């Protein structure tokens, strides 16, 4: 009996391996638009896809970042300056993409641009501090996606959104975790939640406010983009050594937030609390993985595989710690974090 079980398991892994190795055809004719290509994952992915022969349209925040990328890639790769927090910049970039892809459409959209500061205990922050991150990580991603969605649909292509393990666990204050939870929800809604198409009964009003379909058609008509051949993938990396996890930037943001808060709040936390938090942050660098290709390989697979995954979780910390923690009881996760976190001087 165990021999049969082993044979079935082996056959399943063999079929899975074969399925995952299948690649879409005519990659050299496909356009991929990537945001946040100045450094980190976006920069490496642009170079990686360029080496594979895809037509990469790389969006950078600065001309310096764009020039550095052009110097390291072939003439096929083209760059554009994009600030995802500005509607006029997104509109200009959308028109630029349309001129290049023409009737072929856009095969891949990779929403990679993101920031992690300001970050600090929530009580130390203002609404503006939260909005600064949400404007880039969530609202910018949303606007870029909506602007380019018709081009992706025309090519029956892929949308790849960079989330984080912090889109499953909210382990620190500030807008970062909130923004990544939003990216998860937006990506899932693109893929599965909105009713589309004509219902079988063809009568009644759609709960989503769309014309034609009836309420009884909601379940069979729930795949917003899959009906058009578009696949949406989420990348949920663990801790990697990029600008997002820079200890210097995070420590500076914590100190700036501390300098701003009222004397009453400082008295509750104690003068030594910021130093304790920054000490924990400084240890972050040694815990971050330097192998950024683990993330870009997942992005590459999501764009080029015939059967991409819905979610990718690159990094051993993601696979063995954070993803399992996201399924644990809330009280247990909070107890673990309570045990490891610095304590305010007036904590109970």
């Amino acid at each position: 009996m165990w021999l049969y079980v082993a044979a079935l398991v082996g056959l399943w892994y063999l079929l899975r391996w074969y399925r995952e190795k299948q690649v879409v055809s005519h990659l050299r004719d496909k356009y991929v638009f990537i945001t946040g290509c100045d450094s980190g994952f976006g920069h490496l992915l642009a170079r990686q896809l360029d080496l594979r022969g895809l037509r990469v349209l790389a969006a950078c925040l600065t001309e310096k970042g764009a020039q550095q990328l052009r110097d390291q890639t072939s003439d096929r790769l083209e760059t554009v300056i994009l600030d995802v927090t500005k509607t006029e910049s997104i509109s200009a970039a959308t028109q630029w993409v349309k001129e290049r892809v023409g009737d072929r459409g856009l095969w891949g959209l990779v929403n990679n641009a993101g920031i992690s500061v300001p970050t600090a205990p929530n009580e130390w922050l203002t609404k503006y501090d939260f909005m600064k991150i949400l404007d880039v990580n969530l609202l910018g991603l949303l606007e870029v996606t909506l602007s380019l969605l018709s081009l992706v649909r025309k090519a029956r292509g892929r949308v790849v959104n960079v989330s984080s393990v912090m889109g499953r666990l909210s382990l620190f204050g500030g807008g970062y975790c909130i923004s990544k939870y939003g990216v998860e929800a937006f990506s899932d809604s693109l893929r599965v939640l909105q009713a589309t198409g004509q219902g079988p009964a063809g009568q009644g009003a759609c709960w989503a406010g769309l014309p034609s379909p009836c309420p009884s058609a909601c379940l069979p008509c729930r795949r917003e983009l899959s009906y058009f051949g578009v696949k949406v993938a989420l990348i949920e990396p663990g801790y990697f050594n990029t600008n997002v996890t820079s200890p210097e930037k995070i420590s500076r943001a914590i100190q700036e937030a501390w300098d701003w808060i009222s004397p009453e709040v400082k008295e509750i936390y104690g003068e030594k609390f910021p130093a304790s938090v920054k000490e924990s942050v400084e240890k972050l660098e040694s815990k971050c993985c330097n192998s950024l290709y683990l993330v870009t390989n997942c992005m590459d697979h999501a764009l080029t595989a015939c059967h991409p995954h819905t979610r990718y979780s690159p990094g051993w910390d993601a696979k063995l710690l954070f993803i399992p923690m996201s399924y644990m009881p809330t009280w247990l996760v909070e107890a673990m974090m309570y045990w490891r976190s610095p304590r305010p001087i007036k904590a109970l």
Side-chain angles (χ1 to χ4, degrees):
M1 176 183 174
W2 291 111
L3 184 61
Y4 289 116
V5 172
L8 286 172
V9 170
L11 180 61
W12 181 81
Y13 273 105
L14 182 63
L15 291 173
R16 182 182 176 186
W17 173 84
Y18 174 74
R19 179 183 170 89
E20 292 199 356
K21 289 296 181 182
Q22 291 181 299
V23 177
V24 297
S25 59
H26 308 298
L27 287 179
R28 290 183 175 273
D29 297 329
K30 299 187 184 302
Y31 285 87
V32 177
F33 182 73
I34 312 168
T35 66
C37 291
D38 297 77
S39 62
F41 302 139
H43 184 90
L44 181 58
L45 178 65
R47 293 169 54 193
Q48 188 170 324
L49 295 181
D50 179 60
L51 283 173
R52 292 199 65 175
L54 280 84
R55 297 179 177 273
V56 178
L57 306 176
C60 299
L61 181 61
T62 65
E63 181 55 42
K64 179 182 177 182
Q67 185 60 53
Q68 288 176 345
L69 182 58
R70 288 195 297 268
D71 291 343
Q72 298 174 11
T73 53
S74 72
D75 293 338
R76 282 190 310 273
L77 183 141
E78 298 182 71
T79 61
V80 65
I81 303 302
L82 172 64
D83 183 343
V84 298
T85 67
K86 292 182 169 58
T87 296
E88 58 272 20
S89 180
I90 294 174
S91 298
T94 300
Q95 184 59 37
W96 179 84
V97 172
K98 285 179 179 178
E99 292 170 359
R100 277 146 185 82
V101 304
D103 293 334
R104 283 170 290 194
L106 182 65
W107 171 256
L109 166 61
V110 182
N111 285 303
N112 168 74
I115 59 174
S116 60
V117 293
T119 187
N122 289 324
E123 191 177 12
W124 299 10
L125 301 172
T126 65
K127 177 183 175 182
Y128 171 78
D129 293 325
F130 286 90
M131 287 303 301
K132 185 177 179 181
I133 293 181
L134 291 172
D135 279 344
V136 177
N137 294 6
L138 179 57
L139 300 178
L141 177 149
L142 193 153
E143 188 171 3
V144 168
T145 303
L146 296 181
S147 298
L148 293 169
L149 207 52
S150 61
L151 296 178
V152 178
R153 184 167 57 236
K154 183 179 290 187
R156 296 181 182 177
R158 311 284 169 84
V159 177
V160 180
N161 290 332
V162 179
S163 179
S164 167
V165 288
M166 295 304 136
R168 288 176 174 250
L169 288 167
S170 190
L171 300 183
F172 50 83
Y176 185 79
C177 297
I178 298 170
S179 70
K180 294 306 181 181
Y181 268 76
V183 171
E184 297 269 339
F186 176 63
S187 301
D188 286 342
S189 69
L190 270 183
R191 189 172 48 248
V192 300
L193 290 182
Q194 186 171 316
T196 61
Q198 175 68 38
Q203 58 186 358
C206 172
W207 61 270
L210 300 175
S212 294
C214 65
S216 63
C218 284
L219 285 175
C221 294
R222 288 182 101 173
R223 302 198 173 269
E224 182 173 346
L225 288 182
S226 60
Y227 261 75
F228 305 105
V230 175
K231 294 181 171 63
V232 182
L234 273 162
I235 312 295
E236 302 170 330
Y239 279 97
F240 285 82
N241 197 4
T242 66
N243 283 335
V244 169
T245 56
S246 167
E248 295 80 12
K249 288 185 177 181
I250 297 173
S251 294
R252 193 184 313 122
I254 290 168
Q255 187 61 51
E256 289 173 358
W258 174 260
D259 293 340
W260 178 88
I261 61 175
S262 66
E264 291 80 10
V265 176
K266 287 183 177 179
E267 183 180 351
I268 292 170
Y269 282 88
E271 292 296 331
K272 295 182 180 179
F273 187 83
S276 299
V277 175
K278 286 190 281 186
E279 185 179 343
S280 300
V281 170
E282 286 166 6
K283 296 176 182 176
L284 183 63
E285 191 169 15
S286 62
K287 298 176 182 177
C288 289
C289 179
N290 291 314
S291 303
L292 303 190
Y293 68 87
L294 295 175
V295 178
T296 58
N297 284 351
C298 291
M299 297 174 173
D300 189 326
H301 188 271
L303 290 165
T304 63
C306 290
H307 307 286
H309 301 174
T310 300
R311 280 175 165 80
Y312 298 81
S313 301
W316 288 114
D317 56 345
K319 290 180 174 67
L320 301 180
L321 178 62
F322 295 115
I323 299 301
M325 281 179 67
S326 70
Y327 291 101
M328 292 180 184
T330 302
W331 65 267
L332 181 57
V333 175
E334 290 181 351
M336 293 167 65
M337 297 312 301
Y338 186 82
W339 175 65
R340 294 187 59 185
S341 301
R343 290 171 58 84
I345 195 170
K346 293 192 176 181
L348 298 177

